[in-house]
Amino acid sequence: MSFGSPYVTLPRFSYLRPRSLDEAFEALEGGNAKVMAGGIGLLNFMKERLLAPSVVIDIKGIPELSGIRLSGDVRIGAAVRLVELEENRSLELIAPTLYRAVRQIADPIIRSSATLVGDVCEAIPWTDGPTALAALDASASVVSKNGERKVKVADLVQGLGQLAIDENEIVKEITFSSGYKKGTYVKFSNASEYALASVAVAYSPESGIARVSVGSLAEKPQVFTLEDAGTSPDEEVSAMIRKVSSYIESGLSAVDDILGSAEFKKQVAKALIIKAFKEVF
Amino acid sequence: MEENVVGKRVPQVDSWLKVTGTLRYSFDIELPGQLYVALVTSRYAHARIRSVDTSDAIKSPGIVGVFTGKDFPFRIGLYIADRDLLATNKVRWVGHPVAAVVGTSMAAAEEAAEKVSVDYEPLEPVLDVEKAIEKGAPLVHEDMASYNYYKGFINPVPGTNIANDFRLVKGDVSSGFAESNVIVEETFKIPQINHAPMEVQNVLAYWRPDDYVEVWTSAQSPFATRYLTAASLNIPVNRLIVHVPPAGGGFGLKAGIGWEPLAIMISKSLRRPVKLVLSRSEQMTSAPSRDGLVANVKAGFSKDGRFKAYEATFMMDAGAYADYTVNVARTTGYSADGAYDIENISVKSLAIYTNKIPTTAMRGFGHPENHWPLEQVMDRAADMLGLDPVKIREINLHVPGKSVRGTGEPVREYDGNPRGVLEALVKGIGYWEVEKPSEPWKVRAKGLAMLVKAPSQPPNAGASAIVKIDEDGTIDVITGTGSMGQGTPTSLAIIAAEAFGVPVEKVKVNQLEGVSTDQNPYTWQTVGSRGLYSDGIALLRAIEDAKNQIREMASAVFRVPKDDIEIRGGQVYPRTHPEHRLGLKDFAMGYTYPNGNTIGGPVIGRGSYAPVLNTFLDEKGHGHNTVFHTYGGTAVEVEIDLLTGEVRVIKVVQAFDVGRVINLLTLEGQAFGGFIMGMGSALYEEIKFDKQGWVLNPNLTHYYVPRITDLPDEIDAVFLETPQMDGPLGARGIGEHVMIAVAPAISNAIYRGLKVKLNEIPMNAERVWKAIKEQRPELISSAFEQALSRAEEIHV
Ligand SMILES: Cc1cc2nc3c(=O)[nH]c(=O)nc-3n(C[C@H](O)[C@H](O)[C@H](O)COP(=O)(O)OP(=O)(O)OC[C@H]3O[C@@H](n4cnc5c(N)ncnc54)[C@H](O)[C@@H]3O)c2cc1C
């Protein structure tokens, strides 16, 4: 993400690399501190002086934050880089929605240092991670020295740069049910790095629940089930698409921004629905 | 030993240094004790500066100086001296440098820059060219009458926002329109776009204790930079030494005069070396971009397809400073007739000041601008006449030896083969075959556009070259052309290798080490696709001079007449008695007889070139102002997604009559790279301004240049070889032509496939979708149904 900056240097800051969560909590207590995972977003924001923390806390050395678990509920630690997800072929089978989203984030160089949790915490309306995770009904575990709480990823991202966590909290990991065995992620970008619109579909054949998340239209991903749109996986796919399309038209909000007009974004979202539904159902 | 390298694929001589990260760019050069500059730039598009308070900044740690416009009360420029080094009295665009804060580190300078406070009195900005030329519009330059400009070359209109008013008149358009059966009348638009070179502009300047001034700069044209800077700053030309290391891309941005004067004046004041490096966003707001355009055109054709009359008004959005764009407007005007024989022409081409980013030269120099309307007019007219786009071009294309350009210059027999280019495009792209789209809601379509361009330069744009033979018979070639990836040094090496019959590895072209104005011979500029042609001719003359020196000595040594001496295969011998041979090395430092007597001396050949019989253009735009013309064209196959408006280029054919292929590898590199650059501006690139004149996308995230994933599946290049009579080995230039026809070719393909007009670039998805929705809404709804029925098929 870049808004353009006249600066070529970073503002002054001190750098800490705690070995445990407790150490990190303590560092956060000092105030004006920022957590850093891959640093891809943070350092850009700092270079642009949108953020100027006096302390940068690198969380990649904290053992509890690493690792991917695929048995039971899926768990992805905050220090897990996108490349680790991409290289995990089992993830493709267990959560194709997320796997495909990850592969479409930025480019291999950025994916080799950026984290999924960082992609979420950066809170940019056009990112892919939050949209895919919202479809999966994922939750974030938010920890601080006062304990741990769970927040739905869909509620975590509030708008551009706005995250529903306190300054002394850290997102420890993301979890979601491994039931969404079918799904996909389709993204449309044109004349921009970022998605002008994106559609994530997560479908659990066992429960019959199918969730759709539409990214980039507004400040945050908008999620609905097929039921909300008045249809179900049992219907003909073309009927599903028609109903979901009209749901997008009347039920979702969209705003004009630098990537496109609200009208056009909705049009693209509807086109993506066709592609996504063809793949999943 | 490979002697005939001309036309083969020779890797660029600096490839190894580039891919190993070893090549030294100007950014890499440092001097002990150098200072760093941070700019404070305007937040208003147009405002009077009431005061600038620098008192806090100067007290900031590590700061040694803070400068404002008051410190440099003079103007600089190339064709019109309209620029200040730092804003004086008023700011003219968002990004206009107001103050320069100088510190011992970049961090210190940037920190202190935040402490400069500027008191502005906002003025009404003018952000639109059409409004800017209305009576009573706010003036961007009230003092234009006092500006120095290149008289006889451009025509500024003080009291208005018009920095140059150029006219081209041929015949009488009104009678031409009266004789026309079909008239196309349209408005075409182009936004300002950025050159986006990998290497941002940067300068290291040192005003030395002996009052000589040294500058290392990422520039294209060492000598123009030296002359213009010296003239602007009242430095004797030979006291200014400009070093130009290889640049990481230029594309016109780095031609003319850049940030050197500011860095020099700061160094003069502080007596220390000063480094000025732009950030990417400064590169995209404070530095120049390419002009925008609004073009109103009217074209008349007789029913048999003859182009009877062309009337065009080009309103070029020059932004706040037009020191180069005045010539872009002039060029857009005089070459508005492109590759066609048009009976009657009336063109008005204006460079117009606005409160937007200043503009400058860019690859194509007015030709992407004037070909965007012209090449679409051809397809639209063809449609109205019931002709096809190829036929209408066949009818109107220049006929070498017969046609006359709008300027009155004849199209010469040796100017190239436009008809052959057209045929190559039609054949290469399979113009008449229809391809199946990848999805039923997409459409495949093919289109093409032609082009012609000559270097746009003053009548005395000269070049010179030096050739030296070294002790071991290796060869040094020295010219003044900058190296920025375009491949000219490699081509010059090939020419020298061919001339002496030595392998290309035996020739060193010293641009690789960078050009230094006190070591390299003069060449006017590295612009306009003129490098290989101008420097090449000078080089061949230098080679001839060196060979003459060798022949002189060899004539004595072999005791045969001078004219009987052959120099080939790296050997020197009498034509009649080739068994008597000596090597180049035997003459390199003069010939030494066995007894020690030496004749001649170190061989050093010199050659000079200046355009032949060139003139200024008169008030009707008539004159002889070109040295060669390169004809070419682009054909594309695109796939248009009717649901999203996304246009993907599937296949491309680029065709040019290059006269003679010198290096096939770099030529293809130009053809491919230029297509991609052209595609970027055709489909994606646009500097976006809000209503206050703020730039919304001063970064490469939202100002989108093509990525590897956007590239066509296939790009082919076809080169015709109609020798340029005076060109080096028959070659002519190509560096800009490769992007000129790209946008109209794509638009013509869309029009051919959908009958949807796109008169404005970039043709991004939203713009294309909106155009389809307005002009052919039924296409979108039927595409949606197609997509659904296909979905069903897959489901079953
Ligand atoms: C050129 C480019 C292209 C891009 N393209 C895409 C794209 O196509 N799709 C896309 O989705 N994204 C894209 N991005 C965004 C990129 O993916 C994110 O910047 C990256 O994933 C952030 O992860 P990180 O680990 O580097 O986070 P960091 O930069 O370390 O952190 C980002 C922010 O999150 C906070 N943060 C990080 N971890 C935690 C935590 N555990 N708890 C609390 N707060 C935390 C930080 O304090 C900071 O504010 C692009 C970025 C760039 C530069």
Side-chain angles (χ1 to χ4, degrees), chain A residues 35 37-42 106 110 114-115 118-119 121-122 127-128 171 187 194:
Chain A
V35 168
I40 294 288
L42 181 70
I110 287 178
T115 64
D119 195 45
C121 292
E122 199 172 300
T127 45
D128 303 303
V171 174
K187 168 179 179 177
Y194 287 97

Side-chain angles (χ1 to χ4, degrees), chain B residues 31-33 205-216 239 241 264 266-274:
Chain B
L31 288 178
Y206 185 29
W207 193 294
R208 299 188 331 204
D210 58 358
D211 282 334
Y212 277 76
V213 184
E214 271 191 277
V215 175
W216 290 260
R239 282 190 170 251
I241 303 158
I264 290 172
I266 293 174
S267 176
K268 181 183 186 186
S269 169
L270 300 174
R271 297 282 160 168
R272 284 173 69 175
V274 169

